[in-house]
Each structure stands twice: as structure tokens, then as C-alpha cells.
């Protein structure tokens, strides 16, 4: 007997860049009206950044929840300092089980309460996934380099009730370092960065010396230059048991991106033409088939 | 507080070289895709590993087996078989990255010491505490992202032994959190145990100079007479805002000698040397030099200053013939 297709959800990932306050507030005001189901808030990349103050974040969360969105608080991926542990603990404690763990420190601190296992936890097999579910994971965001075949295998054997989310749109978060590459590119020390990353709302594109857009510098994070775009692959993702598609915020055309994914997920039959990428590097989707992430299926 | 020296053994001759030159422990991997540094011609068969364990144990050195990739459902069985093999051989510790494998090892071999691989990416005491509580991990190898001060603070908050990198190639990214290599080539440290793999490298001579490509992506271009480096993708030259620079890092090696006294005083248990892909001759030289450094430092502790000639001899063995303190020094960040 054919199972009726479960409705797939759309999630807006955490904002990975340093936008100015008003731009961020406007963005989240738009998300209240956007056809998305889940919005991740908070800082994942750099503990020095303050996109919004605590009160602003609270108001944004209230507005999103009033608009019917599920709000999840994301936490830092690379936690080094005691102050960063304290910030993570405060977010986890205040989230009422709606937090995304991106480091085992958050799993340890939040032990027992429900959480989202974020894309920066290394989950590559059933045993590790089961272990996180025992710790309270109710949703798992797959690491970006995991092939869809592996996600499907883990999907088949997943513990009951676990949702699976995949990074479906955006410049891929690939690496974290102690070093701030944005500051380095401007000969500034990290401790005196002047928040120079504020000038790059989609990061700084790094080109090879023969002009291929290759990577993106975003503070201590390195991303792909190409945008991973899995909109044309929604059918395969659904068949693999994926429940949620994560769309990573970008500064332009995000409404059109959401619209195209909504149409694809709802399978309205209208083949919505996807907008051309506004960022250098075009689209990529190689990871899905276990190839180099930079590649794109013909 | 006495610092231990932990040295790489990519092959049996390298293991002997490390043991003969004063390594307190060596780490090795079995052949197959179950460990980082999965290069052709490297690593141990079961009988070679048995010979290595005997050789090391007879001379008072310990042997750690590294299984530091994250197995997928299709390689899971190979990974657990590797754990079974290591346990049979009576090795002194397993170095694991994957939490699922740690659960397997802790359940099946509760008396076998577990070390947290650098690929576990545990950069704070809480993350380390997770692995201690869940699996009884006894030692953690720290990723190359913490300053010496941060290492000292972390040690105050954990009962787990701390091992840090002292010499060898410099990972610029937090280990276990880097997918740059798979983005460019499809193969990564987490999945296949390789970074910027040789099979994806192509050298070409062009009018613009010698060029190094990784899966066709231009990593660097060298002017005539300029020394060319292996195209590790985070150490290439790229264009950023109309400047061409080593945007992530230069081809250089990590050498922690300058902070060795600080690390010793802060309670670091062991210094690790990177380089299982290196020749026995290299392992012998580096082990001998670091043995001397650690002995001198262990005697003099906080007052020790590394001798210039020792630094010079190590620099001669280093990538790019230069060294950096990397993340140990705040100004590197």
C-alpha cells in the first residue's frame, strides 16, 4: 500500500552573516509572512557578533511564534572560551527544549531535554544517531557532506518520531577555524576586527587565480562560493525520508527562493523556474550523490 | 608533571624509528579506509601491527591504534572489525572519533583505554565531559584551535588527560569540522581519512608558471624558481577583494617548542607529533629532536627556553622550512 506523501516542511536556517540590526529585523518580519514552517534564530558562527540584542531576539521570536512558526534557538558551532560555554548554557536553559546543538557541549549541557542535532555534530551512522536520540534529539540536521544514500539508510532505521532535515539551499557551511579569515583578508587582528564582516552580507567570495569562485570567507567560517540548491531534487529527498528542507538566509532574492521551494514541496505541478543565483559561483549539488560538493548534476 | 612524546607510525620501519629514538608511545592505523592519513602504501596489516606492538612493548613504549574516520553504514562493520583486531593485539589505547564506535568499544572492551581523536573536535571541557561520562574516555587530543592560555583553562576543568599537537603539518581548521576537501574532491578527513588527496592533484607547466590543481581547481601558481608546495587546499593562494594572498594559511608547519614550558606547567599530559605519511628517516629525526626538547623541558620546566639549534634542525624538516605556533599564540587567530 502506498503511503500518502507526508507534507515536507521548510525551515529558515540561522543567519550565518553579520547583518545590521534593521536589516535583520526586517528580514524576520518578512519571515512571519513567508510560507515557511520553522525559523532558526541565534548565532552559530562568531561569539563576538551581536546581530541583535537579547530583547530584539525575544521580540522576533514572539512575532514568529504568533505567526505560527516553530522557533528554534541555534547555538555556536566552535566553542572555545568559558564565556562561550556560558552563552550556550543560557540559550539552552531558556529555550524550553527548542535548541539546536552544534557542539557536544550543548548536548552535554542540555542532557535529557529535547533538542535538534545540528549540522555541525558529526553523525555519519546509525549508532551515533541512536545515541543522540537517547540524549534527547527529536530532529537531526544531516552534515552537509553526507550523501543522500546514507541519509536514506539512516532514515529507514531511524528511531520513532525523529525528523530529518537537510541543508537544501545556501552557501554551504564547510569549516570552522580559530582564525578569522575576514579580518585576515584586511590585515586586521581578530581581537581588533572592527566587525569588518558587517560589510559583506553574504560573505567575501574567494576566487582561484584563474577566476573560479571557489569559497566564501565568513569570519571564522569557510563556506562554498557556489550555492547548494536542491530544489530540483525535492522528489528524491522526500523518497529518502527527508522531512524538512533548510534554506540558509541570503541578502537578496530570499523570498523568491522560498516561493520556489514551497511550490516544489507542495508539488503544485507548476514547474516554477528557479531564480538565477545572485551570488558568484552558481549552484551546486554534488554532495547529494556522494561526489565533490562543488559539482552540479547536468 | 612529565610530558609524554607520542609519535606517528605509518609503517613498521617508522614505528621502529620512533621507538628507537625515544617515543613514549606510537600511534598507527590498520590498512583500509578506517583511519585518517589513509594514503597508499601506508598503515599496518594485522601481523605487522602484532610485530609493532611486540617491538614497542619490549622497549617500554606503548602503542595506540587510531581509527579516526566516521564510518558510514557501509563501512561500519569494517570499523568494528578493526576495533576487535586492536583489542586482540593488546594495544594500549584506541583513538576514536565516532561516538557510535566509542559506544561499541566501551560496551565490548570495557578495559581498553579510549582516547578522543582530534577528529572528534572537542574544543572545550563540556564536550570532553560528554565523552567521559558516556564512554569513559581517558584522554583527549585537542584540535589546533586553542591558545596556550585556553588549553590551560580547559585542563583546570577536566579530569581527562590532555594531549596536544607539538610538531608537524598545521591543520588550519578545527579538525573534524572541515569539509573543504570533500567539497573540492569528494574525499574528506571525516569520511575517507584524507585531505586534498594525491589522486586529485594535477601539476601543469604553463606560460604563467607551474600550476597545482586539485580536482581541476587551481590551488596555486608558482613563478619560475619559486618553491612549490603540495596543494593542500587551505594553503593555496587565492584572490580576495582583488588581492592575491594565502587567504587561509601559508605552507608552514606547527612547532610548539616555544610554548612547551607553558603547556607542561598547565598540566598537558602528552605532546603529539603529526605525520603518519612521513618516512622512517623523518620520524627518526623528529622523534630524536623532540625527545631532547622534552627531556630538557621536563628537567627545567617553566624556566626552559628552546635552544636555537634545536629549532633550526626542526625547521629544516618542516613544510615550507618555516614554523608557526599556530593557534597557541593569540596573534595567529
Amino acid at each position: 500500500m502506498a503511503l500518502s506523501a507526508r507534507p515536507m516542511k521548510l525551515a529558515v536556517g540561522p543567519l550565518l552573516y553579520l547583518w545590521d540590526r534593521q536589516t535583520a529585523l526586517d528580514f524576520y518580519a518578512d519571515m512571519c509572512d513567508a510560507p515557511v514552517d520553522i525559523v532558526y534564530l541565534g548565532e552559530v558562527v562568531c561569539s563576538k557578533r551581536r546581530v541583535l540584542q537579547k530583547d530584539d531576539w525575544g521580540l522576533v521570536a514572539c512575532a514568529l511564534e504568533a505567526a505560527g512558526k516553530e522557533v528554534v534557538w541555534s547555538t555556536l558551532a566552535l566553542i572555545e572560551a568559558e564565556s562561550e560555554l556560558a552563552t550556550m548554557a543560557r540559550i539552552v536553559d531558556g529555550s524550553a527544549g527548542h535548541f539546536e546543538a552544534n557542539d557536544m557541549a550543548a548536548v552535554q549541557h542540555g542532557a535529557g531535554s529535547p533538542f535538534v542535532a545540528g549540522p555541525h555534530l558529526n553523525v555519519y551512522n546509525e549508532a551515533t544517531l541512536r545515541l543522540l536520540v537517547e540524549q534527547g534529539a527529536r530532529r537531526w540536521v544531516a552534515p552537509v557532506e553526507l550523501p543522500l544514500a546514507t541519509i536514506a539508510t539512516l532514515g529507514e532505521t531511524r528511531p520513532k518520531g525523529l525528523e530529518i532535515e537537510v541543508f537544501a539551499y545556501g552557501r554551504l557551511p564547510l569549516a570552522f577555524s580559530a582564525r578569522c579569515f575576514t579580518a585576515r583578508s584586511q590585515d586586521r587582528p581578530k581581537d581588533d576586527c572592527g566587525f569588518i564582516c558587517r560589510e559583506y552580507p553574504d560573505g567575501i567570495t574567494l576566487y582561484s587565480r584563474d577566476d573560479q569562485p571557489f569559497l566564501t570567507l565568513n569570519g571564522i567560517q569557510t563556506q562554498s562560493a557556489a550555492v547548494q540548491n536542491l530544489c530540483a531534487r525535492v522528489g528524491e529527498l522526500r523518497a529518502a525520508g527527508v522531512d524538512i528542507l533548510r534554506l540558509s538566509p541570503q541578502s537578496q532574492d530570499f523570498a523568491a527562493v522560498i516561493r520556489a521551494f514551497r511550490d516544489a514541496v507542495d508539488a503544485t505541478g507548476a514547474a516554477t523556474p528557479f531564480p538565477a543565483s545572485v551570488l558568484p559561483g552558481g549552484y551546486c549539488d554534488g554532495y547529494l550523490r556522494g561526489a565533490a560538493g562543488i559539482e552540479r548534476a547536468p | 608533571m612529565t610530558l609524554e612524546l607520542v609519535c606517528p607510525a605509518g609503517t613498521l620501519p617508522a614505528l621502529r624509528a620512533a621507538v628507537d629514538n625515544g617515543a613514549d608511545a606510537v600511534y598507527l592505523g590498520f590498512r583500509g579506509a578506517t583511519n585518517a592519513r589513509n594514503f597508499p602504501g601506508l598503515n599496518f596489516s594485522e601481523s605487522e601491527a602484532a610485530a609493532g606492538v611486540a617491538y614497542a612493548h619490549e622497549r617500554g613504549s606503548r602503542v595506540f591504534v587510531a581509527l579516526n574516520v566516521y564510518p558510514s553504514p557501509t563501512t561500519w562493520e569494517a570499523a568494528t572489525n578493526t576495533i576487535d583486531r586492536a583489542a586482540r593485539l593488546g594495544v594500549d589505547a584506541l583513538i576514536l572519533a565516532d561516538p557510535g564506535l566509542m559506544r561499541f568499544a566501551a560496551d565490548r572492551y570495557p578495559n581498553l583505554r579510549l582516547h578522543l581523536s582530534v577528529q572528534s573536535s572537542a574544543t572545550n571541557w563540556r564536550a570532553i565531559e560528554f565523552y567521559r561520562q558516556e564512554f569513559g574516555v581517558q584522554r583527549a587530543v585537542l584540535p589546533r584551535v586553542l591558545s596556550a592560555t585556553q588549553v590551560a583553562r580547559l585542563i583546570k576543568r577536566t579530569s581527562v588527560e590532555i594531549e596536544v599537537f607539538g610538531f608537524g603539518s598545521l591543520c588550519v581548521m578545527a579538525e573534524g569540522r572541515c569539509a573543504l576537501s570533500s567539497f573540492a574532491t569528494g574525499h574528506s578527513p571525516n569520511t575517507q581519512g584524507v585531505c586534498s588527496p594525491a589522486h586529485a592533484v594535477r601539476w601543469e607547466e604553463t606560460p604563467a608558471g607551474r600550476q597545482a590543481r586539485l580536482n581541476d581547481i587551481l590551488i596555486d601558481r608558482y613563478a619560475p624558481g619559486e618553491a612549490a608546495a603540495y596543494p593542500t587546499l587551505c594553503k593555496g593562494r587565492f584572490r580576495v577583494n582583488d588581492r592575491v594572498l594565502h587567504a587561509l594559511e601559508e605552507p608552514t608547519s606547527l612547532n610548539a617548542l616555544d610554548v612547551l614550558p607553558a603547556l607542561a606547567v598547565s598540566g598537558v599530559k602528552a605532546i603529539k607529533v603529526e605525520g603518519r605519511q612521513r618516512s622512517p628517516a623523518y620520524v627518526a629525526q623528529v622523534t630524536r629532536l623532540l625527545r631532547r626538547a622534552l627531556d630538557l623541558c621536563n628537567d627545567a620546566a617553566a624556566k626552559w627556553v628552546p635552544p636555537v639549534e634545536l629549532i633550526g634542525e626542526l625547521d629544516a624538516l618542516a613544510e615550507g622550512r618555516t614554523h608557526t605556533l599556530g593557534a597557541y599564540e593569540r596573534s595567529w587567530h
Side-chain angles (χ1 to χ4, degrees), chain B residues 1 3 146-156 162 164 256-271 293-294 297-298 300-306 325 328-329:
Chain B
M1 79 225 145
L3 288 169
L146 299 180
S147 68
T149 310
Q150 287 173 321
V151 171
R153 287 193 189 129
L154 182 149
I155 288 172
K156 288 205 174 80
I162 296 299
V164 299
L257 281 201
D258 286 333
V259 293
L260 212 51
L263 294 174
V265 168
S266 68
V268 165
K269 183 75 179 171
I271 298 291
L294 261 60
C297 180
N298 281 333
K303 296 189 294 289
W304 188 67
V305 178
L325 273 172
Y328 290 128
E329 193 170 43

Side-chain angles (χ1 to χ4, degrees), chain B residues 111-145:
Chain B
N111 296 322
L112 182 53
R113 254 179 91 91
L114 288 183
H115 291 187
L116 201 56
S117 164
V118 68
Q119 293 296 127
S120 290
S121 222
T123 56
N124 59 75
W125 65 266
R126 261 195 197 286
I128 293 169
E129 189 60 12
F130 173 83
Y131 294 100
R132 190 193 66 78
Q133 287 172 337
E134 293 296 318
F135 318 114
V137 159
Q138 295 184 58
R139 180 180 290 190
V141 184
L142 296 184
R144 281 159 273 196
V145 294

Side-chain angles (χ1 to χ4, degrees), chain B residues 8-260:
Chain B
T11 58
L12 194 51
L15 180 145
R16 291 196 197 103
V19 169
D20 293 348
N21 284 280
D24 295 301
V26 295
Y27 61 101
L28 59 86
F30 286 114
R31 217 160 272 147
T34 55
N35 64 86
R37 303 282 176 266
N38 178 26
F39 297 110
L42 277 190
N43 300 319
F44 287 68
S45 68
E46 191 160 345
S47 62
E48 287 166 340
V53 168
Y55 190 88
H57 283 178
E58 281 161 16
R59 289 157 184 80
S61 296
R62 282 166 296 147
V63 177
F64 306 155
V65 165
L67 198 181
N68 46 13
V69 294
Y70 290 87
S72 70
T74 52
T75 56
W76 175 260
E77 205 179 322
T80 56
N81 287 343
T82 297
I83 292 176
D84 291 335
R85 269 192 288 177
R88 272 201 304 272
L89 286 171
V91 302
D92 299 281
L94 267 179
I95 308 172
L96 297 179
D98 183 67
L101 283 183
M102 286 181 220
R103 164 61 67 221
F104 174 89
D107 286 350
R108 187 174 290 202
Y109 305 105
N111 296 322
L112 182 53
R113 254 179 91 91
L114 288 183
H115 291 187
L116 201 56
S117 164
V118 68
Q119 293 296 127
S120 290
S121 222
T123 56
N124 59 75
W125 65 266
R126 261 195 197 286
I128 293 169
E129 189 60 12
F130 173 83
Y131 294 100
R132 190 193 66 78
Q133 287 172 337
E134 293 296 318
F135 318 114
V137 159
Q138 295 184 58
R139 180 180 290 190
V141 184
L142 296 184
R144 281 159 273 196
V145 294
L146 299 180
S147 68
T149 310
Q150 287 173 321
V151 171
R153 287 193 189 129
L154 182 149
I155 288 172
K156 288 205 174 80
R157 300 297 303 267
T158 182
S159 60
V160 174
E161 294 174 5
I162 296 299
E163 179 174 315
V164 299
F165 278 91
F167 189 81
S169 290
L170 177 72
C171 243
V172 180
M173 304 300 172
E175 295 92 332
R177 303 277 181 96
C178 182
L180 292 180
S181 182
S182 64
F183 176 68
T185 73
H187 295 255
S188 76
N190 281 6
T191 53
Q192 284 93 355
V194 292
C195 170
S196 309
H199 72 78
V201 171
R202 181 160 55 87
W203 292 95
E204 52 190 21
E205 304 292 339
T206 75
R210 174 178 292 178
Q211 300 191 146
R213 292 184 182 273
L214 194 64
N215 196 20
D216 283 341
I217 301 160
L218 184 60
I219 302 300
D220 213 339
R221 173 187 293 158
Y222 301 94
E226 196 180 9
Y230 184 87
T232 306
L233 71 84
C234 60
K235 292 175 183 162
R237 273 177 295 198
F238 302 100
R239 183 164 62 76
V240 178
N241 284 338
D242 295 321
R243 269 176 78 194
V244 172
L245 74 165
H246 289 106
L248 304 172
E249 179 57 301
E250 287 146 33
T252 180
S253 282
L254 176 73
N255 181 343
L257 281 201
D258 286 333
V259 293
L260 212 51

